[in-house]
Amino acid sequence: MTVDTETRPLPAARHARAAVAVLFFTNGALFANLLPRYPQIKEDLAIGNGAYGLAVAAFPAGAITAGLAAGLLIRRMGSARVAVLGTLLTGAGILAAGLAPSVALFATALFLAGAMDALTDVAQNAHGLRVQRLYGRSILNSFHAVWSIGAVTGGLMAAGAMSLGLSLGVHLAVSAVVLVAAAGAALRFCLPGPDNEPEETGPEETGRKETGPERLTAEGARGTSRVGVVLAALVLIATAGTLVEDAGNSWAALYLSDALHASAALAASGFIALVGAQFIGRLIGDRLVDRFGQRAVARAGGLITAAGMGLALAVPTLPGTILGFALAGFGVATLVPAAMHEADALPGLKPGSGLTIVSWLMRLGFLLSPPIVGQVADAAGLRTGLLVIPAAGVLVVLLAGVLQARPRRD
């Protein structure tokens, strides 16, 4: 049957979609307000590069520490409430980090902010998947695109605050109040009830018995083992997406400036190209998924990533490398939402458990990928270290079989 979306009031579904978009926007904007202030904080605390690096690593460390608690909290409180509460506490942690008088307190505040951000991330994706089931088609990629808009907006807010001469405390307090208030206002428009209500299964969940994780219906230990294998593959797919994204964040400008002798302004274009293309990929990702299915889109994205960045590294030129980073960003745009969607639908797991595991281990990849690339770069050069990008694309091509094969039918 595919009558679910016909019997549900369209205004309620639209309001819920807008509410989840607000949650993604505020999540992206909160931390982005702090990032441009890092140089000032480093100077105010009079700390060296080593201590600074360890301190800012507290944010992903907090996310990894608390991430596994998200599923339990979602089952007890509901995904919408967890997302809003996490937003409130993330804002408080970011404000505390900005006002910290010592390195230890700065790192502690970042650790707590990262822990709360992890809860928000899982919860908002869980609620986004609920809304997606109402719609009966893919909309999760659009939420991740809104997150990117929020991150850019947060950076612009910070730049504006600094140009106006606002103190760090005033800037972060105002941004936290505004963004938390927006998330709180969105709560009333979120979907009511627990996240495991059977009535939330919409058209997208029908007609898929033969593809993706739905094939994992074997009984007993064999079925459980196969679910574990699929979950591991989904983690690797999501991690491949974050690894490519982190390569753009951490290494693109350095590679363009050092290896290809680009100016500082031109070197920044590698990161901009990757993030901009990723945003475009997320904007159109839902339509591509609805037309071709998650599996085909992921495989095509993996091929684009591997071929685009592989060619750029094989024949290094400034235009070709910038284009390579752009193709890599476009290629991985839908991977994290796809992995989250399939993990949330795995049989035999408690509501929110698959999504929580993927999100948690994906963050572990974020934490570990910079030192791995750095070690390879020290040993064989950054050009060799960046081979992780086409390798990630190849990995996605090989593992995409666990994703949904058929396009969704309304």
Side-chain angles (χ1 to χ4, degrees):
M1 295 178 64
T2 59
V3 298
D4 188 63
T5 54
E6 296 177 5
T7 58
R8 292 183 181 273
L10 287 177
R14 290 171 181 168
H15 292 162
R17 181 176 184 177
V20 175
V22 170
L23 294 178
F24 272 82
F25 179 90
T26 55
N27 181 248
L30 266 176
F31 190 54
N33 266 277
L34 180 63
L35 287 174
R37 292 285 197 167
Y38 271 176
Q40 178 185 344
I41 294 173
K42 182 176 181 292
E43 181 179 354
D44 291 345
L45 296 178
I47 56 178
N49 290 327
Y52 168 76
L54 290 174
V56 297
F59 189 89
I64 291 168
T65 302
L68 287 178
L72 176 62
L73 291 174
I74 288 171
R75 288 191 293 273
R76 290 187 175 181
M77 299 175 56
S79 56
R81 291 189 179 91
V82 172
V84 173
L85 178 61
T87 300
L88 170 64
L89 296 176
T90 300
I94 289 172
L95 176 60
L99 298 177
S102 68
V103 180
L105 291 177
F106 174 61
T108 300
L110 282 182
F111 182 90
L112 295 174
M116 297 303 102
D117 179 74
L119 301 181
T120 304
D121 182 43
V122 176
Q124 67 188 10
N125 276 285
H127 208 76
L129 287 167
R130 284 187 65 184
V131 178
Q132 179 170 273
R133 286 191 286 273
L134 281 179
Y135 270 72
R137 56 183 173 84
S138 178
I139 61 172
L140 191 61
N141 288 289
S142 67
F143 292 137
H144 286 256
V146 170
W147 187 96
S148 299
I149 296 173
V152 172
T153 302
L156 292 175
M157 290 170 66
M162 289 186 286
S163 67
L164 293 174
L166 293 181
S167 68
L168 186 58
V170 171
H171 160 220
L172 293 179
V174 170
S175 64
V177 168
V178 170
L179 295 171
V180 170
L187 178 61
R188 63 176 297 202
F189 298 103
C190 291
L191 299 175
D195 284 64
N196 58 346
E197 281 188 325
E199 64 181 12
E200 291 183 13
T201 300
E204 73 161 86
E205 302 299 323
T206 64
R208 295 175 53 192
K209 293 182 180 180
E210 77 284 10
T211 61
E214 290 77 2
R215 293 177 298 182
L216 306 175
T217 56
E219 298 179 357
R222 181 169 176 266
T224 301
S225 175
R226 294 185 67 189
V227 169
V229 170
V230 171
L231 186 60
L234 295 174
V235 168
L236 290 174
I237 289 173
T239 302
T242 59
L243 188 150
V244 172
E245 182 178 346
D246 181 75
N249 294 343
S250 302
W251 303 106
L254 186 63
Y255 176 69
L256 288 170
S257 60
D258 288 358
L260 301 181
H261 311 292
S263 64
L266 186 58
S269 61
F271 166 74
I272 294 171
L274 186 144
V275 174
Q278 184 183 53
F279 171 69
I280 293 172
R282 286 174 171 173
L283 279 181
I284 66 174
D286 290 316
R287 293 182 181 180
L288 293 175
V289 168
D290 285 335
R291 182 170 182 178
F292 301 108
Q294 297 277 19
R295 185 183 301 174
V297 173
R299 279 187 174 149
L303 287 173
I304 290 171
T305 300
M309 200 62 198
L311 182 60
L313 293 173
V315 186
T317 64
L318 276 174
T321 301
I322 293 171
L323 177 61
F325 277 113
L327 291 173
F330 184 83
V332 302
T334 66
L335 295 185
V336 172
M340 289 181 168
H341 171 266
E342 298 294 350
D344 193 58
L346 280 175
L349 298 178
K350 294 180 179 179
S353 294
L355 179 62
T356 298
I357 292 171
V358 167
S359 179
W360 180 67
L361 291 176
M362 177 186 72
R363 287 176 179 268
L364 188 62
F366 254 132
L367 183 65
L368 295 179
S369 62
I372 292 174
V373 173
Q375 289 294 325
V376 175
D378 285 342
L382 185 53
R383 182 181 172 190
T384 302
L386 288 177
L387 286 173
V388 298
I389 296 178
V394 173
L395 182 66
V396 171
V397 173
L398 295 176
L399 297 178
V402 299
L403 298 174
Q404 174 203 1
R406 288 187 176 182
R408 294 177 179 83
R409 304 297 183 189
D410 291 342

